[in-house]
Amino acid sequence: MNKVCCLILISFFSITVFSQSVIIPKGEYYSEDEGTGYYFIVHDNNEFQISIAKGKITTDSISNLSLPEQKGMVFGLSYTQKKASQDSLTITFSKNFKRYNLSKIYIGATNLINEAPKFEKANSANTADYYEPNEISIKVLKTDYLHLLEQSYKPESNVNYIFKIPQNVSEVEITYQPSLTRDIQLNATYDAKKEVVTINEVKRDNPINFYKNFDKYVKEFATPKEIEKNIVWRSEDEIKPISGYDNPYAFKLDSFDSYESAIQTSTTDGKLLLAFYLKEGEKVIDNFSTFKSNYDKKISNLMYSQYKEEFDPYHIYLIKESDKKFIKSLDFKEDQLLVLDDFQSIIYRRKASLTELSKEVMNQHSYAQNDYVNLHLMKRLDDAISASSFDSAKTKAIFKDLASINSYDFFSGHESVTPTSYREKELIKTNSDYYKLQSNLEQVHALFDKLANSHKTDVTVDFEFANIAYKSLTDPYERKLYGNTVEDDYESDLKTIDYLIKFQNDIEDYKAIADEDYSKGYDFYNVAYTISDALNKLAKTANTNALQDIKQSFQKLQTDSNAYLFFLKTYYPQIYLEEYMSYYDATNLHDTNYVVVRLDELYEQTKSKTSWSAFKREIANNANDAAWVVVEKIEDKKMIKEALKWSKTSLNINETNPYYLDTYAQLLYKNGDKRSAIKYQTKAVDIINENTGLYSTSLLSNTTDVLKRMKNGTY
């Protein structure tokens, strides 16, 4: 089929294109912004279009479309100050620079152009507070050469820009254009019956449909009874909430006659006590009353329609003169806030004015984390570990709260973790004293293991523990407490996985109900995938016996066969090939005359939730993966002949995929057909060369090397 140029259109206008009084000449114009290339194309009759991509349609049904290779430089540099400086170079960024891009940029300095630099992340080198709006300024060692590197998703795509820095330059300004679109690959299919083109990003399921007759498509939706235009917007007092609630829930803090009464109540209900010790006087009392009133209003608005326990974590009390005999041991000082738990242990202490302290308390419900509650959680965790006996209910409550915490801005304060959290830095900045986790990772693992063991004999599912188990796999508590570099606990993870597998049907039934009613509370999203993903992660560091345990867990797991096949492929290739052979024979995909028909039948039979193009890709990739295992690990001629069938199936689905062609060529060579092998390997190399924007340089290097060795007989 003739190759046809394809344009993905953002917008199309049939109006006269003009700039001031001069008509824009017909032609193609190009620009880049934030790493995306844009085409502005002027046609005859002064019509124009703006597009983001152009490509080539290569077959009747499947297209490989590529976004444009970035033409402009990622980094530019200008000298802003020429002043002799022997020790440092100041780096600034252009005014339109987005601060979040600092995390993608690495900076290095060398005296020789070929010297390997030691790179540092720009956001680490930037000493200014991330949240401050001031100009970014970075100082580096003054050397002859400045290295700027943009981190890419693929290591082979990283590019190092090296700039010569004159001796008399002390400050430079950097311009930065991210190369966001460099590796994006698009795939297109055409439905002739509906006249619809579906474009999808390769390896992602995010299709967009383009309609030949969009008006017809729109008419498939219900049309409104009436459309009113030019409506004058009503004032707020005319608008009533559609929820039916006239007033929010009226929350009110408890009042106490004495500190003794406040602490007794706190001991009984387990809430924290926020005790203020302020200079006495009528004005202070009035200001404190105003603060409590404002706090009541804020919590009322958060609760809105009904009482919600999560917004009511503490009592608030103002220390009186008559309370002083009860608080001598707490070392209270004027203008101070103490946060105490139910054992009167100090969780937090800060000295400041009432204005500052009340602002901090009010803001606790605005932060991503509630500092006081989280600090108390660390104390509860330490207490549970040091307790003389194991309390299953209390331990479960601790890990439930830990599982519900968002990792963002959370900190444990443990000595092994550098305070990188923005919130912890704020506490340090205000000279606050706060509780820090004392227990080490092994102690926390041991406590969680006791909790898992206490549920080992459950005959009915405990959804609270099941949710803890699930979240320990998706967002491990170890990393919240001790940072991202710590390892998970293999034994405990396997126990939680076995629990989730044991009650998988109950959890799936619950999930179906919870999806309809969010008030059910527990979150279980794609349990089978979560379990299989965790098993494959555990397998990376597992010994022979542990691999057997993981294999048994996979066999008990319902669905997600792809993850199990990946596990077998990696650790038990012979079993993997036997499993795939059975599957392949059952599908009848080996009949090359009816591949599309069989795929269509399979798509209907499996009730796949993915798009048709994604389903075809999955089938082809699975066939290629199995064949590639034979290329790498098997010499048996009978198995090689089987693998040739699988590989041929992947090519029947997509004959221009260089990965599939490479696999097929190497199997042909291993089977003795060297001439055909060279033919298909040459085709793979040619396709990569013709589509350099789609494929990595390492793939080209590898396939070219294989072709060379096939030709000279050293394969």
Side-chain angles (χ1 to χ4, degrees):
M1 176 180 179
N2 291 331
K3 292 184 178 181
V4 181
C5 185
C6 168
L7 288 175
I8 303 175
L9 302 182
I10 295 178
S11 56
F12 184 92
F13 303 88
S14 296
I15 61 174
T16 300
V17 181
F18 62 90
S19 174
Q20 295 178 358
S21 60
V22 180
I23 298 295
I24 300 175
K26 186 175 71 172
E28 183 179 289
Y29 302 79
Y30 180 79
S31 183
E32 290 174 358
D33 181 62
E34 282 287 306
T36 300
Y38 295 92
Y39 293 94
F40 180 83
I41 304 170
V42 180
H43 299 288
D44 293 327
N45 303 321
N46 291 327
E47 291 182 342
F48 77 91
Q49 64 190 53
I50 300 173
S51 73
I52 61 170
K54 296 194 298 184
K56 300 289 184 180
I57 297 177
T58 55
T59 68
D60 288 337
S61 60
I62 299 176
S63 307
N64 292 316
L65 310 171
S66 64
L67 293 179
E69 183 79 14
Q70 186 161 322
K71 298 177 181 181
M73 291 191 298
V74 174
F75 294 105
L77 183 143
S78 61
Y79 309 135
T80 53
Q81 278 192 25
K82 292 190 176 182
K83 179 181 177 183
S85 175
Q86 301 299 319
D87 56 352
S88 66
L89 176 71
T90 301
I91 299 173
T92 62
F93 290 82
S94 57
K95 289 184 178 180
N96 61 348
F97 180 78
K98 306 295 189 300
R99 188 179 287 262
Y100 56 77
N101 282 324
L102 283 175
S103 61
K104 305 173 189 174
I105 299 172
Y106 287 77
I107 299 174
T110 62
N111 283 316
L112 299 174
I113 191 167
N114 294 323
E115 182 182 349
K118 183 179 179 181
F119 284 106
E120 183 179 10
K121 249 188 179 181
N123 61 350
S124 300
N126 177 38
T127 56
D129 193 312
Y130 184 89
Y131 292 93
E132 293 297 324
N134 57 308
E135 186 176 295
I136 301 166
S137 179
I138 298 173
K139 284 195 174 184
V140 299
L141 184 68
K142 178 68 181 292
T143 55
D144 290 339
Y145 294 96
L146 178 67
H147 296 250
L148 299 174
L149 184 142
E150 179 194 48
Q151 184 182 32
S152 171
Y153 292 110
K154 295 182 179 179
E156 62 269 20
S157 299
N158 291 336
V159 179
N160 180 21
Y161 285 69
I162 306 172
F163 294 92
K164 173 74 173 173
I165 305 299
Q167 285 296 317
N168 66 337
V169 170
S170 60
E171 183 175 306
V172 296
E173 182 182 90
I174 293 172
T175 59
Y176 173 61
Q177 277 287 356
S179 54
L180 299 179
T181 63
R182 180 166 291 166
D183 295 318
I184 293 179
Q185 301 173 38
L186 301 175
N187 185 284
T189 57
Y190 178 64
D191 186 327
K193 185 176 180 180
K194 296 181 179 179
E195 293 187 300
V196 176
V197 176
T198 300
I199 295 183
N200 194 66
E201 190 175 346
V202 174
K203 297 182 180 178
R204 293 182 65 185
D205 192 19
N206 54 351
I208 299 176
N209 291 328
F210 292 83
Y211 301 85
K212 182 75 172 178
N213 188 345
F214 188 74
D215 291 340
K216 180 181 177 183
Y217 162 72
V218 170
K219 287 177 182 177
E220 294 178 6
F221 296 96
T223 55
K225 183 82 173 176
E226 185 177 346
I227 299 177
E228 294 182 14
K229 297 183 178 180
N230 302 320
I231 300 297
V232 177
W233 187 249
R234 300 165 295 176
S235 60
E236 286 188 13
D237 58 351
E238 294 177 314
I239 303 173
K240 294 182 179 180
I242 60 173
S243 60
Y245 300 115
D246 294 328
N247 298 298
Y249 178 83
F251 173 80
K252 190 169 183 61
L253 281 165
D254 292 330
S255 296
F256 304 100
D257 295 329
S258 65
Y259 170 80
E260 187 179 23
S261 173
I263 199 66
Q264 284 177 353
T265 304
S266 178
T267 302
T268 302
D269 60 21
K271 292 181 184 179
L272 295 172
L273 176 62
L274 275 57
F276 288 80
Y277 187 34
L278 306 170
K279 291 179 180 178
E280 294 185 7
E282 290 186 10
K283 186 175 180 181
V284 170
I285 294 173
D286 289 343
N287 289 342
F288 189 77
S289 297
T290 301
F291 155 64
K292 284 184 66 177
S293 176
N294 290 335
Y295 184 83
D296 287 343
K297 290 176 183 177
K298 174 155 189 170
I299 301 304
S300 295
N301 288 328
L302 289 171
M303 293 184 178
Y304 195 66
S305 61
Q306 60 186 357
Y307 178 81
K308 296 185 178 106
E309 186 178 1
E310 65 267 29
F311 296 123
D312 184 22
Y314 29 71
H315 300 295
I316 295 177
Y317 180 71
L318 176 63
I319 300 292
K320 304 173 184 175
E321 179 68 27
S322 57
D323 297 317
K324 289 186 178 179
K325 61 183 178 181
F326 296 107
I327 62 172
K328 287 181 181 179
S329 62
L330 299 176
D331 189 27
F332 259 115
K333 293 181 174 59
E334 287 184 341
D335 290 336
Q336 199 173 73
L337 165 67
L338 258 69
V339 179
L340 302 106
D341 69 359
D342 46 352
F343 297 106
Q344 293 195 64
S345 299
I346 298 174
I347 303 299
Y348 176 81
R349 183 199 298 265
R350 182 188 173 192
K351 181 174 175 58
S353 66
L354 175 60
T355 301
E356 285 297 312
L357 294 175
S358 59
K359 179 181 177 183
E360 178 179 288
V361 174
M362 295 286 279
N363 283 341
Q364 288 300 318
H365 295 287
S366 302
Y367 298 141
Q369 308 290 343
N370 187 310
D371 295 334
Y372 308 150
V373 172
N374 289 349
L375 295 172
H376 185 217
L377 178 57
M378 297 302 96
K379 176 68 164 51
R380 289 163 57 203
L381 182 56
D382 279 336
D383 289 346
I385 289 171
S386 61
S388 57
S389 60
F390 172 71
D391 188 320
S392 179
K394 283 187 177 180
T395 303
K396 185 167 67 171
I398 290 168
F399 280 100
K400 176 189 174 185
D401 290 344
L402 195 53
S404 66
I405 287 175
N406 187 326
S407 297
Y408 176 73
D409 252 354
F410 171 79
F411 62 93
S412 67
H414 192 266
E415 61 182 5
S416 66
V417 185
T418 303
T420 55
S421 163
Y422 172 73
R423 288 298 310 133
E424 187 171 13
K425 286 180 180 177
E426 285 294 299
L427 297 191
I428 293 171
K429 189 187 297 184
T430 57
N431 294 316
S432 303
D433 293 328
Y434 55 96
Y435 189 88
K436 301 176 179 66
L437 179 66
Q438 304 298 307
S439 305
N440 60 37
L441 178 61
E442 290 71 24
Q443 291 172 312
V444 178
H445 274 163
L447 183 66
F448 187 81
D449 197 53
K450 288 179 183 178
L451 179 63
N453 286 334
S454 71
H455 287 276
K456 198 170 183 178
T457 57
D458 285 2
V459 292
T460 58
V461 61
D462 182 325
F463 284 111
E464 193 167 69
F465 175 71
N467 199 240
I468 292 170
Y470 171 79
K471 289 190 174 180
S472 74
L473 302 178
T474 58
D475 191 9
Y477 63 85
E478 298 97 330
R479 292 171 195 168
K480 293 179 182 178
L481 298 173
Y482 302 101
N484 291 326
T485 58
V486 300
E487 293 184 1
D488 301 339
D489 181 23
Y490 169 80
E491 295 292 338
S492 293
D493 281 352
L494 208 55
K495 288 175 185 176
T496 57
I497 286 170
D498 285 342
Y499 191 89
L500 292 171
I501 292 174
K502 179 180 177 181
F503 295 108
Q504 187 181 352
N505 287 334
D506 298 286
I507 293 170
E508 292 294 346
D509 290 343
Y510 171 88
K511 180 180 176 297
I513 298 171
D515 285 347
E516 297 296 325
D517 183 0
Y518 292 111
S519 65
K520 295 295 179 184
Y522 300 119
D523 172 33
F524 298 100
Y525 178 76
N526 205 335
V527 177
Y529 172 81
T530 298
I531 294 171
S532 57
D533 184 57
L535 287 170
N536 272 314
K537 286 178 181 175
L538 290 175
K540 291 178 181 178
T541 55
N543 57 31
T544 304
N545 291 334
L547 282 174
Q548 283 292 338
D549 293 338
I550 293 170
K551 183 168 172 282
Q552 289 174 10
S553 295
F554 261 122
Q555 290 170 339
K556 289 185 285 185
L557 179 64
Q558 300 171 37
T559 71
D560 206 11
S561 57
N562 284 338
Y564 180 45
L565 287 176
F566 175 83
F567 170 77
L568 291 177
K569 178 175 65 175
T570 308
Y571 304 102
Y572 298 96
Q574 195 62 48
I575 298 176
Y576 163 73
L577 292 173
E578 290 170 4
E579 292 266 356
Y580 184 78
M581 190 186 303
S582 299
Y583 161 78
Y584 182 83
D585 290 343
T587 60
N588 292 323
L589 287 169
H590 55 274
D591 191 339
T592 58
N593 294 320
Y594 298 98
V595 170
V596 176
V597 175
R598 282 299 300 137
L599 282 173
D600 200 26
E601 292 171 352
L602 282 173
Y603 188 65
E604 293 297 325
Q605 290 168 11
T606 57
K607 294 181 170 56
S608 176
K609 294 180 180 179
T610 63
S611 65
W612 167 238
S613 59
F615 177 77
K616 286 195 296 183
R617 234 177 6 255
E618 181 183 344
I619 296 294
N621 285 338
N622 288 343
N624 182 68
D625 288 348
W628 184 249
V629 172
V630 176
V631 171
E632 288 190 310
K633 301 179 180 181
I634 307 297
E635 297 299 330
D636 178 69
K637 289 291 184 183
K638 184 178 179 181
M639 186 58 77
I640 290 172
K641 291 184 184 298
E642 289 294 325
L644 277 166
K645 297 179 189 175
W646 309 337
S647 184
K648 186 62 176 172
T649 295
S650 64
L651 283 173
N652 285 334
I653 297 173
N654 188 349
E655 62 184 8
T656 61
N657 186 306
Y659 293 97
Y660 302 167
L661 288 164
D662 177 48
T663 302
Y664 190 60
Q666 294 194 53
L667 284 169
L668 287 169
Y669 199 96
K670 292 183 76 167
N671 197 44
D673 190 353
K674 297 181 181 179
R675 178 176 293 182
S676 296
I678 291 171
K679 171 188 170 185
Y680 280 94
Q681 193 68 17
T682 300
K683 186 175 180 181
V685 172
D686 290 344
I687 288 173
I688 298 170
N689 277 321
E690 291 171 5
N691 300 274
T692 54
L694 286 177
Y695 303 109
S696 66
T697 54
S698 60
L699 177 64
L700 177 60
S701 175
N702 291 338
T703 51
T704 303
D705 179 63
V706 169
L707 179 59
K708 180 180 177 181
R709 289 188 286 115
M710 283 179 173
K711 287 180 176 179
N712 63 26
T714 59
Y715 176 84

